[in-house]
Amino acid sequence: MFVGFITLILVSLLRSEVSGQCTRNTDINGPGQAWSMGSTCSVFNISATRSVVGSIVSYLTPNTNLAAGFQCTFYEGNSTSDPVLGTIGETLAGWVELFQHSTYVFVQCVGLGSDPTINFVATPSIAFERFVDQAVIHVETPDFPNTNYPTTYLQETAIESNQSATYMVSFHPTFHIIDPLWITSDDGTGLVYRGNLMTAPEPFNISGNLIKIQFYSDPAGTRSGFRMTLTADLPIAPPAPELICGDQGQISISLSNQTIIDLCENEDDYVIISATSVDDVNLVDPVCKANASDPNFNLGFTDCSTLEVTDGILKSQFLLRCLPKVNGSAAIQRYVDGCLNLTCEYNTTELLKAGAILPKIKKVELDSIEEEGRFGVEIFFTTDRSYSVKLSAGAEVEVPDQIYAKVELNSLDDALHVQLSECWATPSVNHNDVTSYQILDNSCPADNAFDTDDAINIDRNYNATYAAFRFRSFVWTNYDTQTIYVYCHVTICHNDVDPECSAWPSCSRKRKRDVSSSDSLLIASRPIFISKREAISCEEANGGCSDTCEMRNDDVRCNCHPGRVLLGDGRTCQGVENSDIVAGRGSLVILACVITAVVFLVCFLLVWSKEDMKQKNGFRRVI
């Protein structure tokens, strides 16, 4: 029973008495030391250092009743000008933890009276508990009442309240201790129980903003210990929301004190998020565990959860349970595996409009909880095919320039994919307007009879965080105001739970499959205004066309005679043979001409060289 302690040894102090003051310089170099301060010292000073490892506390052993006004004050340093660590005495019994930040302690005791003893104890650790504004509190020694509590053991429980509270203290009938037990409060009320107390004390009241329960067992012996219950008539504030399902997949869990009481056996437990029971807390992902004294989690909906999709609802479930701090030296363990199910639900079948999305927060009960969230999806127009710069409000586009549209999911989770199944345009804010232009059909460019092959293109679909498409601008027939509103059916899916999340269908003229469904969201764009280029009719210079001209949607359309093709300017036609030269055959003709010229030049130089040689040999040069 002697572990880390030695029997408290009473050492008579060497006193230098000057006007009733006594002094002592000492080193705390062992598990336990004690000094009788003597009734002749009205003021007793101790300068102490430490040379052992572990926590060190001090407490008083009164030989008889302490004199009125007696107390000892502990300072972290070398004098009374240093920070105060604590005070114990006549009405402030208990122990004070020393050497919290310094290797020096100064103690000054006054009003010694009947020769009390001051004790310094070294201990490996101190067991702390803390309760704040809690109406019912249970405090007990380890493994009560089955076996004896441990030796060389210190335990402190702090009970705090924001208002002065009065607690009734009652004890379990089985009450056996032989060591000091202190129950004190900051308003000076309290009780001190000494050793060899084998019957439960009568209930009593204690009040204050801070109540301390301190217990110390020395190596001399142990009993089965005690259990006490403190109850107070405190106004209990309504619990804060325990589950918040954010609109960007961010989920907050913060359990109330009452939930912890219902779920866990004590505040020393761990709260873990796990679908199955776990024996070792070290096997739990750090983000999925917390101390029961501070059970707060900030998670993404894929952290620590199980996911499933049912009828267009994406569910993220969190199973919370308590895991006790296991005593590794015990041969067995026994605890209750309580479980709390929290669920966040995200509905993918809502009709969304452009603007902020605000999820509704529900009050959470202890039983299974379901919470509703929304995906933030927006459709807008951009300046070019990079889809990175938004068009400003009220932007105009000239016919037939490209219109670039982007559908973006407000999330950083790359596993969330955006599926565009159907998009269309109307001249009004009514998405069911009888006048409309189909842009996407079954996730592919719509097959409109009056469109050219390049009228509609999809640049991104069935991909993470956004989809993008473009189409050539147009004007509405018989409408004075030319405004285009774009609407899309959008489906948000999670790549980890939907095997077809990124399976974009083949966009042949014959559709592979119909992907639109009631699970999609309907989103609407802001309007874009269409302006026509300055009109040129076929009656004016044949509309600028080299061959034939026709009017289509109040705009010029040039066509070519058979055997001729339309060039890139959209106005000029050219014969197929000339077109071939332009396409590459002309380069062969030019090469042939160059070769002929070079051959002719070489022949001329050879003839000229021979005539020049004849003239030099006496023959007349003939030109």
Side-chain angles (χ1 to χ4, degrees):
M1 298 185 55
F2 179 74
V3 179
F5 279 76
I6 62 173
T7 305
L8 297 177
I9 304 172
L10 186 61
V11 181
S12 61
L13 295 170
L14 298 175
R15 302 186 180 96
S16 59
E17 300 185 14
V18 178
S19 301
Q21 292 197 24
C22 304
T23 62
R24 171 75 184 205
N25 297 316
T26 187
D27 176 61
I28 311 301
N29 55 14
Q33 294 171 325
W35 294 279
S36 174
M37 291 179 284
S39 58
T40 59
C41 299
S42 59
V43 178
F44 195 94
N45 298 313
I46 301 177
S47 295
T49 59
R50 65 175 298 168
S51 60
V52 294
V53 177
S55 301
I56 298 178
V57 302
S58 184
Y59 68 96
L60 291 170
T61 304
N63 293 338
T64 59
N65 292 330
L66 296 174
F70 168 81
Q71 68 178 25
C72 290
T73 304
F74 298 81
Y75 303 88
E76 181 104 26
N78 297 307
S79 68
T80 56
S81 62
D82 291 307
V84 175
L85 290 172
T87 302
I88 54 180
E90 177 193 8
T91 59
L92 299 170
W95 45 261
V96 174
E97 185 178 3
L98 310 179
F99 303 108
Q100 296 179 14
H101 306 97
S102 172
T103 57
Y104 300 96
V105 165
F106 186 80
V107 187
Q108 187 175 80
C109 301
V110 297
L112 301 184
S114 57
D115 195 16
T117 300
I118 186 168
N119 303 270
F120 293 89
V121 179
T123 179
S125 63
I126 303 172
F128 283 101
E129 288 182 301
R130 179 173 177 263
F131 300 92
V132 179
D133 286 332
Q134 196 160 315
V136 180
I137 299 166
H138 302 285
V139 180
E140 63 182 29
T141 50
D143 206 25
F144 173 86
N146 297 325
T147 61
N148 294 341
Y149 54 78
T151 60
T152 63
Y153 172 78
L154 289 96
Q155 173 181 325
E156 178 177 307
T157 301
I159 302 171
E160 303 175 22
S161 61
N162 295 320
Q163 56 185 336
S164 182
T166 299
Y167 283 86
M168 185 184 74
V169 184
S170 57
F171 297 87
H172 193 278
T174 303
F175 188 104
H176 294 165
I177 62 171
I178 62 173
D179 291 299
L181 169 65
W182 298 274
I183 306 173
T184 61
S185 72
D186 57 352
D187 66 0
T189 64
L191 294 175
V192 178
Y193 296 102
R194 294 298 305 163
N196 296 316
L197 189 61
M198 300 302 168
T199 58
E202 292 296 322
F204 64 91
N205 290 334
I206 188 169
S207 61
N209 294 89
L210 174 62
I211 298 172
K212 283 187 178 181
I213 302 170
Q214 295 176 309
F215 177 71
Y216 164 63
S217 67
D218 61 27
T222 62
R223 291 290 188 272
S224 59
F226 62 85
R227 172 186 290 165
M228 65 179 69
T229 301
L230 295 89
T231 56
D233 186 15
L234 287 175
I236 305 301
E242 295 184 281
L243 173 66
I244 298 176
C245 299
D247 63 345
Q248 298 185 29
Q250 294 300 310
I251 294 169
S252 174
I253 298 174
S254 180
L255 303 183
S256 66
N257 288 340
Q258 187 58 49
T259 299
I260 291 297
I261 292 173
D262 294 339
L263 186 64
C264 304
E265 291 186 308
N266 57 70
E267 274 196 343
D268 283 336
D269 292 346
Y270 292 101
V271 177
I272 64 172
I273 303 178
S274 175
T276 58
S277 180
V278 178
D279 292 331
D280 187 355
V281 73
N282 295 316
L283 301 178
V284 181
D285 189 324
V287 75
C288 306
K289 63 184 177 183
N291 290 323
S293 58
D294 186 23
N296 296 300
F297 300 88
N298 290 298
L299 307 167
F301 60 74
T302 57
D303 296 332
C304 316
S305 66
T306 57
L307 297 178
E308 64 177 21
V309 175
T310 304
D311 298 329
I313 303 296
L314 177 62
K315 291 184 178 182
S316 183
Q317 293 181 319
F318 304 86
L319 292 174
L320 279 72
R321 54 194 352 121
C322 267
L323 182 64
K325 293 184 178 179
V326 177
N327 181 1
S329 62
I332 65 170
Q333 52 181 306
R334 183 180 292 114
Y335 62 93
V336 176
D337 185 14
C339 186
L340 175 63
N341 181 14
L342 305 180
T343 302
C344 281
E345 288 195 357
Y346 290 85
N347 190 344
T348 63
T349 63
E350 299 181 57
L351 174 65
L352 301 181
K353 296 182 180 179
I357 297 175
L358 301 176
K360 185 175 70 173
I361 301 174
K362 294 182 178 178
K363 179 181 177 183
V364 177
E365 304 294 341
L366 183 61
D367 54 355
S368 297
I369 299 167
E370 295 185 355
E371 180 58 44
E372 189 174 286
R374 298 180 181 177
F375 288 109
V377 186
E378 179 186 10
I379 182 172
F380 54 87
F381 302 113
T382 66
T383 58
D384 54 37
R385 193 174 175 182
S386 67
Y387 298 101
S388 58
V389 180
K390 286 185 179 182
L391 276 179
S392 58
E396 291 188 357
V397 173
E398 290 185 341
V399 175
D401 289 349
Q402 294 272 11
I403 295 177
Y404 303 92
K406 183 176 183 180
V407 176
E408 189 171 55
L409 173 65
N410 187 15
S411 174
L412 298 178
D413 190 344
D414 288 340
L416 286 175
H417 285 207
V418 177
Q419 296 179 344
L420 294 184
S421 57
E422 184 180 14
C423 294
W424 67 97
T426 71
S428 69
V429 294
N430 180 10
H431 68 277
N432 288 321
D433 199 313
V434 294
T435 300
S436 66
Y437 169 69
Q438 193 73 20
I439 302 173
L440 300 187
D441 184 15
N442 294 334
S443 301
C444 296
D447 189 10
N448 299 310
F450 47 84
D451 272 343
T452 59
D453 289 340
D454 65 342
I456 303 171
N457 291 277
I458 303 175
D459 290 325
R460 183 183 175 98
N461 201 0
Y462 285 65
N463 217 316
T465 67
Y466 78 92
F469 61 91
R470 51 195 163 92
F471 61 95
R472 290 200 176 275
S473 56
F474 56 86
V475 293
W476 303 101
T477 304
N478 299 325
Y479 276 76
D480 295 330
T481 301
Q482 295 296 331
T483 308
I484 294 177
Y485 293 82
V486 174
Y487 300 87
C488 287
H489 278 302
V490 184
T491 299
I492 308 300
C493 65
H494 198 282
N495 205 32
D496 293 343
V497 296
D498 186 353
E500 295 187 349
C501 192
S502 59
W504 188 3
S506 173
C507 289
S508 61
R509 290 298 180 183
K510 293 182 179 179
R511 305 303 182 203
K512 182 178 180 181
R513 62 188 175 99
D514 185 0
V515 297
S516 63
S517 68
S518 60
D519 295 341
S520 62
L521 317 173
L522 176 62
I523 58 174
S525 74
R526 294 187 177 184
I528 191 167
F529 302 97
I530 302 301
S531 60
K532 294 173 57 181
R533 290 193 176 95
E534 189 171 338
I536 300 176
S537 69
C538 291
E539 297 177 357
E540 299 176 9
N542 198 37
C545 301
S546 63
D547 283 23
T548 63
C549 176
E550 66 172 328
M551 298 301 296
R552 181 176 293 184
N553 292 334
D554 293 334
D555 200 5
V556 169
R557 174 72 177 264
C558 294
N559 298 309
C560 298
H561 296 309
R564 292 164 62 81
V565 295
L566 188 66
L567 299 185
D569 62 0
R571 294 289 189 267
T572 306
C573 295
Q574 190 168 308
V576 175
E577 294 181 357
N578 293 335
S579 175
D580 291 341
I581 293 175
V582 173
R585 293 186 182 180
S587 59
L588 298 177
V589 176
I590 294 172
L591 179 60
C593 292
V594 172
I595 294 173
T596 302
V598 171
V599 171
F600 176 79
L601 179 60
V602 171
C603 292
F604 173 78
L605 291 176
L606 290 173
V607 172
W608 179 84
S609 176
K610 289 181 180 181
E611 290 296 328
D612 188 55
M613 290 296 294
K614 289 179 180 180
Q615 187 176 9
K616 288 182 181 181
N617 293 327
F619 293 97
R620 183 173 58 88
R621 182 174 181 182
V622 180
I623 300 177

